[in-house]
Amino acid sequence: MSAENRQGHWRKTRRLMFVHLAIWFVFAYLIQWFASDLNQFRFLDFPVGYYMAAQGSLYAFVIQLFIFVKQQDAIDREFGVAEE
């Protein structure tokens, strides 16, 4: 792999990583900080703040993991470094 391809691969990988870290931060911290404000709304008869802390964030992390893997695989294939 040429130096230009390595730089392009790393640039796209780094951008993808920062986007997913930002999404992770929202679900891990921001929603928890505003849980008391979210509790005025209800989802399945539970306060939304409680639901997001107990269940919603976990679902978001698992979904995010699968999306990240698919996106990283596409980047790897684009630059010819995908594992088979």
Side-chain angles (χ1 to χ4, degrees):
M1 188 156 83
S2 71
E4 186 176 306
N5 276 351
R6 276 195 304 267
Q7 288 178 344
H9 180 265
W10 178 239
R11 185 173 38 258
K12 283 193 170 191
T13 298
R14 188 175 49 228
R15 182 177 25 184
L16 178 65
M17 178 184 61
F18 286 132
V19 166
H20 279 273
L21 281 173
I23 294 168
W24 172 84
F25 180 79
V26 167
F27 281 98
Y29 290 104
L30 291 183
I31 289 178
Q32 313 310 324
W33 284 336
F34 297 109
S36 60
D37 296 332
L38 291 172
N39 281 337
Q40 65 186 348
F41 304 106
R42 300 189 79 70
F43 178 74
L44 297 176
D45 206 32
F46 289 101
V48 171
Y50 167 79
Y51 183 78
M52 288 305 295
Q55 300 296 326
S57 294
L58 297 175
Y59 291 138
F61 295 149
V62 171
I63 292 168
Q64 183 183 13
L65 176 67
F66 283 104
I67 292 171
F68 177 83
V69 167
K70 185 174 181 170
Q71 291 173 328
Q72 184 62 52
D73 185 56
I75 291 171
D76 290 347
R77 289 186 188 284
E78 177 183 345
F79 288 95
V81 293
E83 296 180 11
E84 296 301 325

